[in-house]
Amino acid sequence: MPETKTTSKVAIVGAGSVGATIAYACLIRGVGKQIALFDVNRAKVDAEVLDLNHGLQFVPMASVEGSDDVGIAADSDIVVITAGAKQKPGQTRMDLAAANANICRKLVPQLLSVAPNAVFLLVTNPVDVITYVTQKLTGLPPPRVLGSGTVLDSSRFRYLIAERCRVAVQNVHAHIVGEHGDSEIPLWSSATIANIPLHEWAVKGHGKLTVRDRSEIFENVKTAAQQIIQGKGATNYAIGLSTAKILEALLHDENRILPVSSLLKDYQGVDDVCLSVPSIVNRGGVEQALPIKMNEAELAGLKNSAEQIREAIRAVGF
Ligand code: NAD
């Protein structure tokens, strides 16, 4: 009888600030019973694995291993890619496209050969470009290649709305769509608090959110990464938690709706580009990009974002 697989294995490629924090968030949340870290920097990956293993007593049962040999990712259910260059202060995510696409050209075929049945989850920036590049390099069915997209941006957006409106972040429903980057779009028209449209919500002692309130909130969402990078050199906690949430949706077959990046086909006039819209995520990857209602300006923004991403994809030779 064939051996039945009872554990789920997550390979995390790149044991830097983001990769190591995803591993830590997964351990604490009990996501992925077997975690394998792969990094070309042997000393770094060994140190991260040691540190994570020393905390195993305090988390749900799991194992963590690591190596500078790609074979460590063998037979993974999910491969998460965080390897590559990160933004320096003042750099945009798109500035990383050429360097990180080149890393993928070498890395992705190796990962596919050791983990041919995996779903690929991209985190490396610019994540929409890198998701498209990985989809083309692997030739996998589009649902099996997704990017963390605007899950993080939407969580920043919800946090800032919640803070202004003085309600719990869990009661705010609002999405950022499009590029995970400068051309992203806030969907104000469909934002709600406990089913009440946000444009009807009156904040105690302040009234409804003004145009200025909204532009301040969105500006803060867009510049959040730079603010954090200026102060500590990298963003890691929120991306760690949001990626663990996407992994949970994948591994636990949740049908959770998340604004992940995936290859869109004839989506409200957007075609053959990876970007984020609210999508159903389950064990197979991205089941469906939902046809969420957008007003004219939001839809125009989405199309513009698609153009920016497509241009960057072409510039890296795909
Ligand atoms: P980091 O420099 O701390 O870590 C990157 C790691 O990748 C390093 O340890 C490096 O040795 C490793 N690496 C490089 N080339 C490799 C290869 N070919 N194979 C295996 N490992 C390799 O950077 P970080 O702060 O962890 O950021 C990683 C990436 O994640 C960046 O591109 C960053 O922009 C991106 N990021 C994305 C989001 C998002 O929302 N999508 C959020 C934060 C960061």
Side-chain angles (χ1 to χ4, degrees):
M1 233 174 63
E3 208 179 306
T4 321
K5 206 167 174 230
T6 54
T7 55
S8 37
K9 178 170 175 178
V10 176
I12 301 173
V13 181
S17 308
V18 172
T21 313
I22 293 171
Y24 182 61
C26 283
L27 283 182
I28 288 181
R29 296 185 67 87
V31 182
K33 292 290 160 202
Q34 234 185 315
I35 295 176
L37 286 167
F38 165 59
D39 199 296
V40 287
N41 182 340
R42 183 67 197 244
K44 173 83 165 123
V45 73
D46 283 351
E48 294 294 358
V49 168
L50 206 55
D51 201 4
L52 290 165
N53 272 324
H54 292 165
L56 283 188
Q57 181 196 334
F58 310 110
V59 297
M61 202 69 184
S63 71
V64 186
E65 54 186 350
S67 176
D68 59 354
D69 183 330
V70 75
I72 195 83
D75 299 326
S76 296
D77 298 291
I78 321 268
V79 172
V80 185
I81 302 184
T82 77
K86 63 177 168 192
Q87 286 166 272
K88 296 191 183 77
Q91 255 187 331
T92 73
R93 295 176 179 93
M94 286 300 195
D95 292 335
L96 309 171
N100 288 345
N102 273 339
I103 289 180
C104 285
R105 279 189 170 92
K106 196 165 156 228
L107 188 59
V108 167
Q110 292 173 5
L111 290 164
L112 185 65
S113 76
V114 298
N117 300 315
V119 167
F120 281 71
L121 173 57
L122 286 308
V123 178
T124 298
N125 274 321
V127 73
D128 305 289
V129 176
I130 298 300
T131 303
Y132 187 94
V133 164
T134 302
Q135 204 283 318
K136 294 295 160 193
L137 287 170
T138 56
L140 287 174
R144 274 179 55 196
V145 182
L146 68 156
S148 59
T150 55
V151 176
L152 173 58
D153 317 62
S154 299
S155 147
R156 287 173 174 151
F157 189 42
R158 287 172 58 164
Y159 161 72
L160 291 164
I161 293 172
E163 197 189 31
R164 284 288 171 110
C165 295
R166 298 166 62 189
V167 292
V169 65
Q170 290 81 358
N171 294 121
V172 177
H173 287 277
H175 287 111
I176 298 280
V177 295
E179 178 198 348
H180 165 61
D182 295 345
S183 70
E184 65 190 15
I185 307 107
L187 297 187
W188 292 108
S189 71
S190 52
T192 59
I193 296 177
N195 267 347
I196 300 167
L198 184 62
H199 57 82
E200 288 174 15
W201 185 270
V203 186
K204 215 174 158 191
H206 176 88
K208 292 180 184 173
L209 291 187
T210 61
V211 172
R212 189 165 162 201
D213 291 330
R214 289 180 186 213
S215 68
E216 273 175 17
I217 289 174
F218 181 47
E219 202 47 36
N220 264 329
V221 172
K222 274 212 291 194
T223 57
Q226 281 297 347
Q227 287 172 38
I228 297 167
I229 289 167
Q230 291 282 356
K232 66 173 205 171
T235 63
N236 63 318
Y237 295 121
I239 182 63
L241 287 166
S242 53
T243 306
K245 197 73 188 166
I246 302 170
L247 286 167
E248 211 167 325
L250 290 165
L251 287 169
H252 299 177
D253 200 22
E254 284 181 348
N255 286 328
R256 186 175 285 271
I257 295 165
L258 293 165
V260 289
S261 185
S262 69
L263 184 66
L264 295 186
K265 289 272 167 217
D266 198 16
Y267 178 93
Q268 308 201 41
V270 173
D271 192 52
D272 192 35
V273 69
C274 289
L275 54 71
S276 295
V277 292
S279 306
I280 298 177
V281 179
N282 58 30
R283 187 62 193 84
V286 180
E287 182 171 295
Q288 194 198 346
L290 298 173
I292 189 169
K293 265 208 177 123
M294 285 176 249
N295 66 25
E296 233 173 83
E298 291 165 348
L299 192 56
L302 189 77
K303 288 179 180 167
N304 169 58
S305 195
E307 269 317 304
Q308 310 284 325
I309 298 165
R310 194 171 290 113
E311 221 172 89
I313 288 170
R314 278 200 208 107
V316 297
F318 282 82

